[in-house]
Amino acid sequence: MAADDSISRQESADSHISRDDSRKYWAGVDATVSGMLGGLPHVSRVDIRGSRNFLAKLGVGSKPGQRVAASALEGGAGIGRVTEGLLLDGIATEVDVIEPIAKFTEGLRGRPGVRSIFNTGLEDWQPADGVQYDLIWIQWCVGHLTDAQLVLFLERCRLALNPGGLIVVKENNSTGGEDDFDQLDSAVTRQDDTLRHIFRDAGLRLVQVELQKGFQADLLPVRMYALKPAQ
Ligand SMILES: C[S@@+](CC[C@H](N)C(=O)[O-])C[C@H]1O[C@@H](n2cnc3c(N)ncnc32)[C@H](O)[C@@H]1O
């Protein structure tokens, strides 16, 4: 093994994350579904359908026998593609949103069901006093946090859950046997295994996991992880 190789292997992928670089990248992205999804807006319909089916299996929804989440939180919500397309469409009554790029959330202000908007990163977010959630949805954004930041954020989420509440993380998985850093948006794509370790470290247990079906073959695998407090 070359000397350079051994050095790069000692550095974890998340050590390269730069908050400034990722903020710069997202500030330059259009506030559109295409912008949110890297130029693949057609992925959204299949994505939302997969998420809705996943939640239905967990008993969340507005069909008979399911329960609607009175209070939900979405992490890294962007323009609210999921907020409005999934959560406020029969899944939750009121949604708080975390999103660091303020221009993305401008269109969400004052929309029915949208409660608080936190224009901050997940790593800096603190729950408002006395506000608890039945459902916390976090999709396609945790790669901007280091492993340590993600553990701490998920711990705060765990403590902000109502009894019986649920956290869902929906993310790409890397496939090459290691976590991958992407300079373009300064984010890490983690292996399934790394994410499971992080969930455990945050005091969460996996209650259901599912691979998103129906995406085009050249996309990375996407998993939905449903999590509850370990104790
Ligand atoms: C790929 S988009 C996904 C948006 C939304 N979750 C969706 O599925 O449509 C990634 C989002 O993460 C946001 N983001 C970047 N850094 C973040 C951070 N540190 N905390 C929370 N969100 C972040 C970006 O601004 C962007 O809105």
Side-chain angles (χ1 to χ4, degrees):
M1 184 190 296
D4 280 348
D5 257 8
S6 65
I7 289 168
S8 64
R9 271 162 207 279
Q10 284 163 18
E11 289 176 353
S12 59
D14 70 331
S15 67
H16 301 285
I17 291 172
S18 152
R19 170 201 167 102
D20 287 354
D21 289 354
S22 68
R23 296 288 203 280
K24 235 178 266 165
Y25 170 81
W26 284 108
V29 169
D30 288 349
T32 59
V33 171
S34 180
M36 294 301 102
L37 299 182
L40 302 170
H42 56 278
V43 162
S44 192
R45 238 181 53 153
V46 179
D47 165 59
I48 298 277
R49 197 186 325 130
S51 301
R52 194 180 291 285
N53 290 341
F54 184 65
L55 284 170
K57 288 176 201 161
L58 292 155
V60 182
S62 44
K63 294 214 172 110
Q66 299 177 339
R67 61 188 188 286
V68 172
S71 173
L73 172 72
E74 189 187 351
I79 61 168
R81 183 185 68 84
V82 175
T83 319
E84 294 199 293
L86 174 72
L87 300 177
L88 289 172
D89 187 15
I91 300 293
T93 310
E94 287 193 302
V95 181
D96 289 348
V97 157
I98 310 170
E99 168 54 49
I101 307 295
K103 74 169 183 183
F104 289 162
T105 55
E106 269 163 26
L108 281 176
R109 286 197 187 279
R111 300 289 287 231
V114 176
R115 196 169 44 186
S116 302
I117 295 179
F118 301 92
N119 283 131
T120 183
L122 303 181
E123 66 280 10
D124 293 326
W125 172 81
Q126 295 288 343
D129 276 352
V131 179
Q132 298 286 114
Y133 299 104
D134 305 301
L135 175 66
I136 300 180
W137 190 274
I138 308 151
Q139 179 166 357
W140 282 331
C141 61
V142 303
H144 293 296
L145 272 62
T146 63
D147 292 8
Q149 287 174 327
L150 183 51
V151 169
L152 290 173
F153 167 67
L154 289 172
E155 281 179 349
R156 292 194 294 279
C157 288
R158 171 168 58 78
L159 296 173
L161 280 180
N162 276 324
L166 194 67
I167 299 172
V168 178
V169 175
K170 185 168 186 176
E171 278 297 333
N172 292 348
N173 288 153
S174 69
T175 51
E178 52 190 27
D179 303 336
D180 290 330
F181 175 72
D182 188 343
Q183 217 153 17
L184 177 70
D185 59 350
S186 196
V188 165
T189 304
R190 294 182 169 91
Q191 303 174 78
D192 178 43
D193 222 39
T194 307
L195 284 169
R196 289 176 192 240
H197 268 102
I198 287 172
F199 300 150
R200 258 197 307 268
D201 287 351
L204 294 165
R205 72 186 160 92
L206 203 52
V207 292
Q208 192 136 327
V209 61
E210 201 175 286
L211 208 52
Q212 168 74 45
K213 294 187 197 78
F215 280 168
Q216 59 202 66
D218 60 337
L219 293 184
L220 286 172
V222 175
R223 277 192 173 78
M224 295 172 271
Y225 303 90
L227 303 155
K228 287 191 170 181
Q231 288 163 11

